[in-house]
Amino acid sequence: MAVDLFFKSIAELAALLEAKTLSSTELTSALIARKSAVEGRVKAFNSSDDADALAQAAASDARRAAGQARGPLDGIPVGLKDVISVSGQPLTASSKMLANFVSPYDATVTVNLKRAGAVVWGRLNCDEFAMGSSTENSAFGPTANPWDLTRVPGGSSGGSAAALAAGEVIAALGSDTGGSIRQPAALCGVVGLKPTYGLVSRYGLVAFASSLDQIGPFARTVEDAALMLGAIAGHDPLDSTSFKAEIPDYRAGLKQRRPWRLGIPKEYFGAGLDPAVGAAVEKAIAFYKSQGCEIKEVSLPHTQYCLDTYYIIATAEASSNLARFDGIRYGHRAKGAKDVVDLYAQSRAEGFGAEVKRRIILGTYVLSSGYYDAYYLRAQKVRTLIRQDFLNAYREVDALLTPTSPMPAFKLGEKSDPLALYLCDIYTIGVNLAGLPALSVPCGFTPGGLPIGLQLIGQPFREADLLAMAHTYEQAHDWHTRHPQL
Ligand code: GLN
């Protein structure tokens, strides 16, 4: 059993913990040992407080001994992307700007996980301020893909996906502004879920683009993703965009099986799609058909504008959100500045990396008085059209099936042109612009052994349906039982 303890699911481990054949202390120790064995090659962690994790594990064991265990997450070590606040722990956003920052409070998702008894452990690497698709923009160096250490894990939540795939954590949280949960999940062969905008509180998340950002889970199985989502979802008065929705029992909802009507957006299968990815997704579509689902081609006619719209809105919001990093209130402060303006300029010049600066400059430009109407305002209008495309499609179908990423994991250093990296997001960003839920579930491997992800895009606040659809697929395939050799 001990051999692959670290590759077990939350559901499996919860059963062992409940039967008291395993303690959280044993499990947490096993993961710390696993981390020591593989982390030198994977580099998924920015930092970790192992003593604190063991203390949380001991507290979980004590609760269980007293008959007060809190449910399936109690005692399960969960890693958090280093943009999610954990009180008393570093919060760097993988930026020099916050290299020495310690969070003074817990994010709401952190509070929720702790309340569920999870062992909140590790600050996981990502692209700086979550800007990127490969985790190469981290000020602390890139994370490697556990399936092939010469390749990227995807991004921006690459550390979360890689730590999970490598068996260093049992589940993780990431954030998704344009694909940052789903794309790394696809490239690392795990499940990743981006919830409907407003379902999960953003309080305590380092803001990138506030109208697009959502926190969501990475998990080994769809069932685990359902458990994680159930723990973190729900209204939060501390986030004014948080929605007052009834949170269903997502795990119980997995049992629903229906002849769903599934749409295949024709714009998502064009040029630029890797043939192995296309073939795996076609097989998944054929599977749903064999289960009695109605498969229908649909059109999302404004898809061609998604990338441009996203990179106007996301950069505009980023330029505004990142204005707070001025060397005075937070983070890095330059030495030797001659006056306050110089202090701002120098602190920002030294603290931010190249991609973050590129986006602040672009975002400031599209918001400037002479160009606001031509860029930002127009992008907002196009965003409405993009959302309308999805809502129109949902008159005919329950969900959409697409590839998550146009390509499997690429080589570290392969995409040096920023535009080439922006193209990684073509299948994921429309979802954020429209505020919809979507998940990526493993659907095969390339001939070279790299994981492939299937994306299911659902209707607002219908995560339960999405999870049930993905669960149906997962139960009939064994992709999730394969693990990288490390
Ligand atoms: N790759 C996209 C970007 O660079 C999305 C990032 C994200 O979702 N955080 O903006």
Side-chain angles (χ1 to χ4, degrees):
M1 177 189 77
V3 196
D4 64 350
L5 203 52
F6 43 77
F7 280 138
K8 289 194 185 297
S9 66
I10 296 175
E12 290 168 324
L13 291 166
L16 297 176
L17 289 166
E18 198 176 338
K20 300 211 171 81
T21 51
L22 175 72
S23 71
S24 176
T25 302
E26 286 165 344
L27 174 60
T28 305
S29 304
L31 290 173
I32 292 170
R34 173 70 176 172
K35 174 166 71 75
S36 304
V38 301
E39 184 56 15
R41 285 166 285 156
V42 180
K43 302 189 182 79
F45 284 69
N46 284 344
S47 63
S48 74
D49 186 339
D50 300 351
D52 178 65
L54 288 167
Q56 293 180 62
S60 167
D61 290 335
R63 271 195 300 275
R64 198 173 295 279
Q68 289 163 357
R70 295 175 184 167
L73 286 178
D74 204 335
I76 303 286
V78 175
L80 265 54
K81 183 180 184 178
D82 202 357
V83 289
I84 299 171
S85 307
V86 181
S87 182
Q89 296 293 331
L91 177 69
T92 71
S94 292
S95 179
K96 262 193 214 152
M97 185 56 94
L98 289 173
N100 299 311
F101 186 74
V102 172
S103 177
Y105 61 86
D106 275 336
T108 296
V109 292
T110 307
V111 171
N112 290 343
L113 283 179
K114 287 181 175 173
R115 197 171 284 153
V119 173
V120 174
W121 176 54
R123 316 299 301 134
L124 301 173
N125 198 14
C126 56
D127 287 295
E128 185 177 1
F129 286 101
M131 298 176 188
S133 303
S134 64
T135 314
E136 292 168 292
N137 293 335
S138 168
F140 307 121
T143 293
N145 190 313
W147 293 91
D148 176 346
L149 297 169
T150 67
R151 292 177 186 269
V152 303
S156 63
S157 316
S160 300
L164 179 59
E168 298 177 272
V169 294
I170 302 302
L173 292 184
S175 64
D176 191 314
T177 306
S180 279
I181 293 174
R182 291 159 285 155
Q183 185 254 18
L187 271 47
C188 290
V190 296
V191 178
L193 169 67
K194 181 247 172 235
T196 308
Y197 185 79
L199 183 68
V200 175
S201 169
R202 292 180 295 110
Y203 181 74
L205 169 69
V206 177
F208 162 13
S210 305
S211 76
L212 301 162
D213 298 341
Q214 268 295 285
I215 296 172
F218 286 89
R220 294 196 192 293
T221 63
V222 176
E223 180 181 26
D224 282 8
L227 290 170
M228 289 285 288
L229 183 66
I232 61 171
H235 178 67
D236 178 12
L238 298 173
D239 173 359
S240 62
T241 61
S242 153
F243 192 71
K244 281 200 177 116
E246 194 64 37
I247 305 304
D249 182 340
Y250 295 113
R251 186 196 220 174
L254 295 177
K255 292 197 199 83
Q256 43 159 340
R257 271 169 174 269
R258 275 191 264 134
W260 289 290
R261 298 166 306 158
L262 301 174
I264 312 299
K266 62 174 187 222
E267 291 82 2
Y268 283 52
F269 290 82
L273 178 60
D274 179 277
V277 175
V281 171
E282 292 295 345
K283 270 198 180 157
I285 294 170
F287 166 78
Y288 280 108
K289 202 168 187 175
S290 76
Q291 300 298 298
C293 295
E294 184 190 332
I295 306 289
K296 191 167 192 159
E297 186 180 277
V298 297
S299 175
L300 303 172
H302 296 93
T303 298
Q304 56 176 313
Y305 304 113
C306 282
L307 211 58
D308 304 13
T309 307
Y310 172 83
Y311 277 97
I312 291 172
I313 293 174
T315 58
E317 294 183 14
S319 75
S320 167
N321 273 326
L322 272 59
R324 73 191 70 180
F325 300 103
D326 56 7
I328 307 280
R329 283 173 294 181
Y330 296 96
H332 179 75
R333 180 178 297 179
K335 295 200 176 62
K338 43 183 200 317
D339 54 37
V340 72
V341 174
D342 193 40
L343 177 67
Y344 288 168
Q346 269 198 47
S347 301
R348 289 166 69 81
E350 293 170 10
F352 290 136
E355 183 61 27
V356 174
K357 285 179 191 161
R358 182 178 297 120
R359 298 201 185 192
I360 291 173
I361 292 168
L362 191 61
T364 306
Y365 179 79
V366 298
L367 287 176
S368 62
S369 63
Y371 293 98
Y372 179 90
D373 288 353
Y375 292 111
Y376 185 72
L377 195 63
R378 185 170 299 180
Q380 291 289 26
K381 291 177 181 170
V382 178
R383 180 177 186 172
T384 303
L385 296 174
I386 290 167
R387 179 172 165 84
Q388 205 53 53
D389 277 358
F390 282 100
L391 299 182
N392 289 343
Y394 289 141
R395 291 206 205 116
E396 298 177 63
V397 296
D398 302 313
L400 304 171
L401 293 183
T402 79
T404 305
S405 161
M407 73 283 277
F410 44 92
K411 292 267 186 193
L412 285 154
E414 182 184 323
K415 293 191 194 289
S416 49
D417 171 14
L419 279 181
L421 268 176
Y422 296 173
L423 283 170
C424 296
D425 307 320
I426 49 171
Y427 301 144
T428 48
I429 52 182
V431 164
N432 301 73
L433 290 167
L436 301 170
L439 63 75
S440 181
V441 62
C443 73
F445 288 86
T446 65
L450 298 172
I452 299 173
L454 170 73
Q455 178 173 235
L456 289 100
I457 308 174
Q459 304 183 42
F461 301 106
R462 301 285 285 272
E463 278 78 359
D465 292 351
L466 215 47
L467 288 160
M469 290 170 200
H471 185 67
T472 303
Y473 175 84
E474 188 190 64
Q475 291 305 294
H477 297 81
D478 69 353
W479 313 119
H480 61 289
T481 64
R482 305 192 194 178
H483 304 296
Q485 299 294 319
L486 273 167

